[in-house]
């Protein structure tokens, strides 16, 4: 069966969770990622989450909504989400289409995303 | 060289991925740049999703077209679902009856050059949309 064993890894690095979407996202995979991320947040006490979409070539309204919902749910659990690696063609299409990434921070790439999360979590939790 | 065309039956979510990949391949062969390929495959994804959400099953047909010396791509998304009762409303940004973002049809129209809907309540819906290489 197609997709039966597909799973997107969610990795913990320091205080942050990082997930990089490297395959064509279909609905079930996106919903599975949502569940996995929330479970991992609880399990690891992570302070921040990075979703890397560098390899994504199409973001339609359903998948965009899932990403926004993941960020909202993570936020309710006390975790800030930064979306990184948005391709120019996707940014153009999202804006023209009218899809909004409300409530989700973005950064150009993984490095900038990590910097942003560090900054956010320092503001939130204090330096020491 | 024969024109490229592909018919993708839409019956589950995996077919949405198949349809947009097929569209991207044909768009690339037609001469569209990366941004237009992304616009076209996003439009196909939305149309295929509408079929799945509202009609359950249907077909996405993608082909290369030529008119007035221009090359383009045509996407026809057809279903025999419930049809659209209020087309004006369906074409309004922010309106949805299917739990989506409500940007589906108007958003898709913005991504493409030509956009026509033929719909009849109880009979089904056919969306025909085209984009031309600039």
């Amino acid at each position: 069966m197609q997709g039966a064993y597909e799973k997107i890894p969610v990795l913990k690095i320091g205080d942050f969770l990082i997930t990089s979407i490297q395959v064509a996202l279909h609905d079930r995979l996106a919903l599975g990622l949502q569940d996995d991320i929330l479970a991992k947040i609880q399990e690891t006490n992570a302070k921040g989450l990075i979703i890397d979409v560098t390899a994504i070539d199409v973001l339609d309204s359903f998948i965009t909504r899932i990403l926004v919902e993941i960020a909202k749910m993570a936020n309710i659990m006390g975790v800030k989400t930064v979306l990184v690696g948005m391709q120019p063609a996707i940014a153009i299409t999202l804006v023209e289409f009218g899809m909004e990434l409300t409530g989700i921070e973005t950064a150009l790439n993984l490095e900038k995303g990590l910097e942003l999360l560090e900054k956010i979590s320092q503001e939130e939790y204090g330096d020491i | 060289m024969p024109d490229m065309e592909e018919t993708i039956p839409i019956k589950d979510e995996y077919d949405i991925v198949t349809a947009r990949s097929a569209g991207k391949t044909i768009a690339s062969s037609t001469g569209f740049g990366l941004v237009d390929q992304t616009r076209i495959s996003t439009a196909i994804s939305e149309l295929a999703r509408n079929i799945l959400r509202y009609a359950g099953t249907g077909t996405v047909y993608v082909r290369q077209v030529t008119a007035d010396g221009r090359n383009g791509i045509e996407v026809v998304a057809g279903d025999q679902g419930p049809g659209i009762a209020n087309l004006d409303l369906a074409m309004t940004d922010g309106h949805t009856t299917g739990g989506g973002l409500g940007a589906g049809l108007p958003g898709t129209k913005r991504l493409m050059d030509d956009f026509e809907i033929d719909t009849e309540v109880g009979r089904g819906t056919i969306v025909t949309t085209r984009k031309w290489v600039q």
Side-chain angles (χ1 to χ4, degrees):
Chain A
M1 194 187 120
Q2 191 183 7
Y5 299 102
E6 279 178 298
K7 211 170 165 67
I8 298 166
V10 182
L11 309 172
K12 181 169 190 278
I13 296 175
D15 284 333
F16 304 136
L17 296 177
I18 298 179
T19 185
S20 183
I21 302 165
Q22 300 286 334
V23 294
L25 261 189
H26 53 74
D27 307 7
R28 210 161 304 168
L29 198 54
L31 291 168
L33 178 65
Q34 182 173 299
D35 291 348
D36 288 349
I37 285 175
L38 297 181
K40 202 91 173 190
I41 287 173
Q42 191 187 29
E43 199 180 292
T44 61
N45 282 316
K47 292 178 183 166
L49 165 69
I50 287 188
I51 303 176
D52 174 28
V53 295
T54 310
I56 287 192
D57 64 349
V58 176
L59 266 184
D60 70 4
S61 61
F62 183 85
I63 303 294
T64 304
R65 200 185 65 190
I66 301 271
L67 293 177
V68 169
E69 284 179 358
I70 288 175
K72 276 187 193 159
M73 292 169 187
N75 190 43
I76 291 172
M77 295 178 77
V79 169
K80 298 293 172 207
T81 301
V82 180
L83 198 70
V84 304
M86 182 75 72
Q87 297 298 313
I90 297 195
I92 292 169
T93 304
L94 282 179
V95 171
E96 287 179 356
F97 188 91
M99 288 183 267
E100 286 183 25
L101 290 168
T102 41
I104 187 163
E105 296 280 349
T106 53
L108 190 59
N109 53 38
L110 187 55
E111 197 181 349
K112 292 217 159 61
L114 280 169
E115 282 171 18
L116 181 60
L117 271 187
E118 294 279 1
K119 199 172 143 233
I120 293 170
S121 62
Q122 273 180 14
E123 280 166 7
E124 206 122 302
Y125 298 93
D127 217 347
I128 299 167
Chain B
M1 193 187 84
D3 284 345
M4 292 174 78
E5 59 175 339
E6 192 124 21
T7 304
I8 304 101
I10 304 296
K11 51 195 184 324
D12 63 37
E13 52 173 284
Y14 301 110
D15 298 326
I16 298 177
V17 179
T18 308
R20 70 178 185 232
S21 312
K24 192 159 194 180
T25 305
I26 294 178
S28 162
S29 303
T30 309
F32 286 105
L34 185 60
V35 176
D36 275 341
Q37 288 174 35
T38 306
R39 289 184 177 112
I40 292 161
S41 44
T42 305
I44 292 173
S45 205
E46 294 301 323
L47 293 175
R49 186 171 297 289
N50 277 350
I51 290 176
L52 208 56
R53 183 181 290 149
Y54 295 104
T57 58
T59 305
V60 170
Y61 174 59
V62 187
R63 64 170 183 149
Q64 289 178 321
V65 286
T66 311
D68 305 325
R70 291 185 304 174
N71 290 326
I73 192 167
E74 182 179 76
V75 179
V76 181
D79 65 62
Q80 297 183 328
I84 302 169
N86 190 334
L87 195 53
D88 287 343
L89 206 54
M91 290 305 295
T92 306
D93 263 316
H95 174 78
T96 178
T97 58
L101 281 178
L105 288 175
T108 303
K109 187 180 178 183
R110 279 194 292 273
L111 296 178
M112 302 294 281
D113 293 329
D114 308 335
F115 188 90
E116 296 134 32
I117 297 188
D118 186 7
T119 185
E120 197 184 324
V121 172
R123 296 290 294 274
T125 302
I126 299 171
V127 178
T128 304
T129 180
R130 283 173 291 271
K131 195 164 189 71
W132 303 98
V133 178
Q134 297 303 313

